[in-house]
Amino acid sequence: MFSLNKNPIGIFDSGVGGLTVFAEVKKALPNESVFYLGDTARVPYGSKSVNVVRHYSLANLNLLITLGVKAVVVACNTASAAALSFLQERFPNLKIIGVISPVVEYLLTRPELKRIGVIGTNTTMASGAYQQALLHGNKDLDISVKACPLFVHLVEEGLFKGKITEMAIDMYLSEMKKNPPDALILGCTHYPMLRNIISDYFGKKVEILDTAFYTAKKLAGILSENGMVNDGSVENDRFFVTDDPNSFRTTTELFLGYKVDNVFHI
Ligand code: DGL
């Protein structure tokens, strides 16, 4: 049996996209081992209703708890928007963090950023979770949001640049570009892979904010404040998927630049 400090961190996502969060967690916490769960059988979450996303998220969380994790990151923006408080209410003694509040908390330390753009999936944008969190922190923020559902598919095809992706960006974001925000939150696991092309589209004046980076920093703070930092050796990371492990293994290369081993069907 592990001591609690040595137990892995659990991360779950609807599929492969949460590997952007995995990468930031590994950078911020190289001495922690991570169990990553991708619900590849039921992806995408971004077009599903809040109730369905809650149901899937609860199943994911239960699996990670069975695997003995000491804290959980809900890497999926859609699941964070639809299900985070639902999960936290059911497991009040487990540290469960989502990807929305860390970037919002950061933004609130930057009062000069008054006009905020947020992009994500249909369900994330329709939930109003980002809008509520931002306005709760500062009711004077001017917020514009846009669902960009095709971006997930473009990223999964490896189309991080090129004509088709440029056209999709222009189709979704030309209105926002006319009156550009001071900062743009990439509110979806896949969008960091389009960071450069989106930044080129808006130009240098728009600050691009990646939720994964702030989430990893917040997790590091929570572990250290609660005496939960791993004080022993680091176990190998493990990846669990609900569909074919081979196709997941292949796609990891797109997101991480290398193929992961230790992928198990669950
Ligand atoms: N992981 C999802 C998110 O961050 C994107 C993919 C999906 O729709 O499931 O919202």
Side-chain angles (χ1 to χ4, degrees):
M1 232 358 232
F2 299 131
S3 75
L4 183 64
N5 290 359
K6 207 167 173 249
N7 284 16
I9 292 161
I11 297 180
F12 82 78
D13 179 50
S14 54
V16 282
L19 290 171
T20 55
V21 178
F22 168 85
E24 291 296 340
V25 166
K26 292 304 290 185
K27 263 193 238 161
L29 294 161
N31 292 324
E32 300 290 339
S33 60
V34 174
F35 283 4
Y36 179 97
L37 170 61
D39 190 10
T40 49
R42 300 195 279 201
V43 69
Y45 285 10
S47 54
K48 301 213 164 66
S49 69
V50 164
N51 277 343
V52 166
V53 175
R54 284 187 178 165
H55 174 74
Y56 292 170
S57 299
L58 186 57
N60 294 335
L61 182 60
N62 277 320
L63 270 175
L64 287 172
I65 290 172
T66 311
L67 293 168
V69 299
K70 64 181 171 187
V72 172
V73 180
V74 181
C76 178
N77 281 261
T78 307
S80 294
L84 184 65
S85 49
F86 170 83
L87 300 176
Q88 288 169 331
E89 278 159 25
R90 274 154 189 80
F91 296 93
N93 298 322
L94 180 67
K95 303 282 177 219
I96 308 173
I97 69 166
V99 287
I100 296 176
S101 63
V103 69
V104 169
E105 284 161 18
Y106 169 73
L107 261 174
L108 298 175
T109 68
R110 301 275 312 277
E112 74 279 17
L113 301 174
K114 295 183 172 57
R115 300 172 39 74
I116 313 297
V118 190
I119 55 176
T121 65
N122 281 321
T123 302
T124 302
M125 295 298 96
S127 74
Y130 270 103
Q131 299 91 313
Q132 279 159 27
L134 286 161
L135 290 174
H136 180 74
N138 178 357
K139 63 177 180 22
D140 296 326
L141 289 174
D142 176 356
I143 301 166
S144 48
V145 302
K146 184 73 186 171
C148 307
L150 280 179
F151 287 2
V152 163
H153 307 285
L154 291 167
V155 167
E156 295 204 357
E157 290 299 325
L159 296 171
F160 306 148
K161 53 185 181 184
K163 271 235 142 36
I164 295 175
T165 306
E166 281 166 14
M167 281 166 68
I169 289 174
D170 194 50
M171 177 179 81
Y172 289 128
L173 300 177
S174 58
E175 273 309 305
M176 201 185 272
K177 192 180 177 178
K178 282 184 198 152
N179 201 0
D182 301 322
L184 177 68
I185 299 176
L186 304 180
C188 173
T189 48
H190 290 59
Y191 298 2
M193 310 306 289
L194 301 178
R195 186 190 178 109
N196 291 343
I197 190 170
I198 292 173
S199 180
D200 289 348
Y201 181 74
F202 280 105
K204 288 209 162 48
K205 281 198 180 138
V206 178
E207 192 165 327
I208 308 285
L209 300 175
D210 175 354
T211 62
F213 173 76
Y214 299 99
T215 303
K217 270 178 78 169
K218 179 157 182 177
L219 175 67
I222 288 174
L223 295 189
S224 93
E225 281 154 26
N226 291 279
M228 292 168 73
V229 172
N230 180 19
D231 50 11
S233 57
V234 190
E235 307 284 326
N236 284 339
D237 301 321
R238 293 189 208 168
F239 300 84
F240 300 89
V241 288
T242 51
D243 200 352
D244 178 25
N246 287 321
S247 72
F248 178 84
R249 221 175 263 126
T250 310
T251 323
T252 56
E253 201 162 10
L254 273 184
F255 283 82
L256 299 173
Y258 58 91
K259 280 189 195 167
V260 299
D261 297 318
N262 282 344
V263 186
F264 306 93
H265 182 247
I266 196 164

